[in-house]
Amino acid sequence: GNDSEVKQDRIIPQFGRSQGYRNFALVMAFPPLTIPSWLQQHLLLSELTPDSPSTELDSVRLGLSRFSSDAPAVSIVIPAFNEGKNIPAMLSSLSKLTLPDHYRVELLVVDDASTDETPDWLKVLNVPFVRLDKNSSVREARKKGLKVCKGEIILQADADSVYPPDWGHQYVTCLNNPEIAMVYGGHSFL
């Protein structure tokens, strides 16, 4: 398909003489890593600037527009500091979330006094955001977002990450169970 391939070999030392084995290295050839097609479409946005005319930006703007509920059940809170290179891909990925329509969702970015294009991207993509007066920390930005957001269920995202389409749905489904108070998920480094 369209998936990019990266080949990797890894040498892993195994067993020392103390275990009765000769020293040797085990060479393992891993299958090619592929970048999932859902991810590729978002990475393309890193080539753009906030003033780029683009149908991709129009598509992201449209996808994010459904996350503007005044009475949200779900809030997605994202702290950001100088994430101008990463935030377009992250917002693009959130625009493709497959949350069911009956979930009222609020998207809120807390800009931790960025000095790059971060606030420009948020304005261009019509993303609601709170801007801190001075740079503090990701912890303080996240706390501000938690104070300001309105949803009963709060999903915390990071501005330098990209999310698969089912990311939000997986968490919200779990959190709808009254016996579950918190959900934490894994991540992958690419």
Side-chain angles (χ1 to χ4, degrees):
N2 293 338
D3 294 342
S4 301
E5 292 187 2
V6 178
K7 295 186 181 199
Q8 291 188 345
D9 288 332
R10 178 175 287 172
I11 298 174
I12 303 172
Q14 297 286 324
F15 311 114
R17 288 194 189 274
S18 64
Q19 298 173 359
Y21 296 95
R22 293 184 192 165
N23 288 327
F24 68 94
L26 174 64
V27 177
M28 299 175 62
F30 291 99
L33 291 175
T34 57
I35 296 175
S37 57
W38 69 263
L39 178 59
Q40 287 181 12
Q41 65 184 319
H42 308 302
L43 298 180
L44 296 174
L45 293 177
S46 64
E47 306 294 322
L48 301 177
T49 63
D51 57 352
S52 298
S54 167
T55 55
E56 288 88 4
L57 293 181
D58 292 338
S59 175
V60 171
R61 203 176 293 113
L62 179 63
L64 293 173
S65 68
R66 61 197 172 107
F67 302 140
S68 59
S69 176
D70 290 331
V74 178
S75 292
I76 302 173
V77 177
I78 307 152
F81 173 68
N82 285 350
E83 293 291 350
K85 296 293 181 203
N86 297 316
I87 209 160
M90 184 274 300
L91 290 171
S92 175
S93 71
L94 292 181
S95 76
K96 304 293 186 196
L97 289 183
T98 56
L99 286 167
D101 289 337
H102 67 274
Y103 289 128
R104 297 173 323 279
V105 180
E106 160 193 50
L107 180 63
L108 176 66
V109 174
V110 180
D111 178 17
D112 194 11
S114 295
T115 58
D116 70 349
E117 297 176 324
T118 300
D120 299 330
W121 277 113
L122 298 172
K123 290 173 189 170
V124 163
L125 295 172
N126 299 326
V127 175
F129 70 101
V130 174
R131 183 168 168 85
L132 301 182
D133 294 330
K134 66 177 190 157
N135 179 252
S136 52
S137 68
V138 68
R139 180 179 63 115
E140 291 302 314
R142 200 175 297 279
K143 279 175 38 179
K144 178 67 172 182
L146 294 175
K147 286 179 186 175
V148 174
C149 73
K150 302 173 199 160
E152 182 177 329
I153 294 175
I154 301 169
L155 303 179
Q156 297 190 49
D158 292 312
D160 63 353
S161 299
V162 182
Y163 298 90
D166 62 347
W167 172 77
H169 185 66
Q170 290 176 348
Y171 290 108
V172 172
T173 299
C174 290
L175 290 168
N176 276 326
N177 179 338
E179 295 182 14
I180 297 176
M182 184 176 84
V183 178
Y184 181 82
H187 59 274
S188 298
F189 293 99
L190 298 176

